Amino acid sequence: MTSEEVKINVEKALDEIRPFLESDGGNISLISIENDRLVKVRLEGACVDCTVNQMTLKSGVEMTIKKYVPQIESVVNIQK
């Protein structure tokens, strides 16, 4: 998978999970993808202060991204 395909598929994964985040007043933005292995995102809105945002990040966002791009090793949230 090329770097461009990785980015396209990560965006597809984020589009899949975004409605769930938006229903709780949050959102997510793609910041960068490093070496086609590490995805950096920014949780936004209500997700910033949510007490379960790390669980959402790992069991929701990371799992969905890995479904689209199995080579991704980790997804991290970058604070402002």
Side-chain angles (χ1 to χ4, degrees):
M1 195 176 291
T2 67
S3 292
E4 184 60 27
E5 290 171 323
V6 168
K7 183 176 187 227
I8 289 168
N9 284 323
V10 167
E11 288 285 5
K12 285 180 186 176
L14 294 179
D15 286 344
E16 181 178 315
I17 197 138
R18 192 169 277 119
F20 299 103
L21 299 176
E22 289 173 343
S23 71
D24 287 330
N27 207 338
I28 191 167
S29 294
L30 176 62
I31 303 302
S32 65
I33 302 170
E34 297 182 3
N35 301 318
D36 295 339
R37 299 267 186 255
L38 172 67
V39 176
K40 293 183 178 180
V41 297
R42 178 171 293 127
L43 292 171
E44 301 169 345
C47 293
V48 172
D49 297 321
C50 179
T51 58
V52 295
N53 68 12
Q54 284 304 306
M55 186 174 76
T56 298
L57 186 69
K58 291 299 174 184
S59 65
V61 177
E62 187 172 283
M63 185 177 72
T64 303
I65 288 174
K66 286 180 175 182
K67 181 173 74 175
Y68 283 84
V69 190
Q71 72 203 46
I72 295 299
E73 294 172 358
S74 185
V75 177
V76 296
N77 181 40
I78 304 299
Q79 300 296 325
K80 291 183 180 180

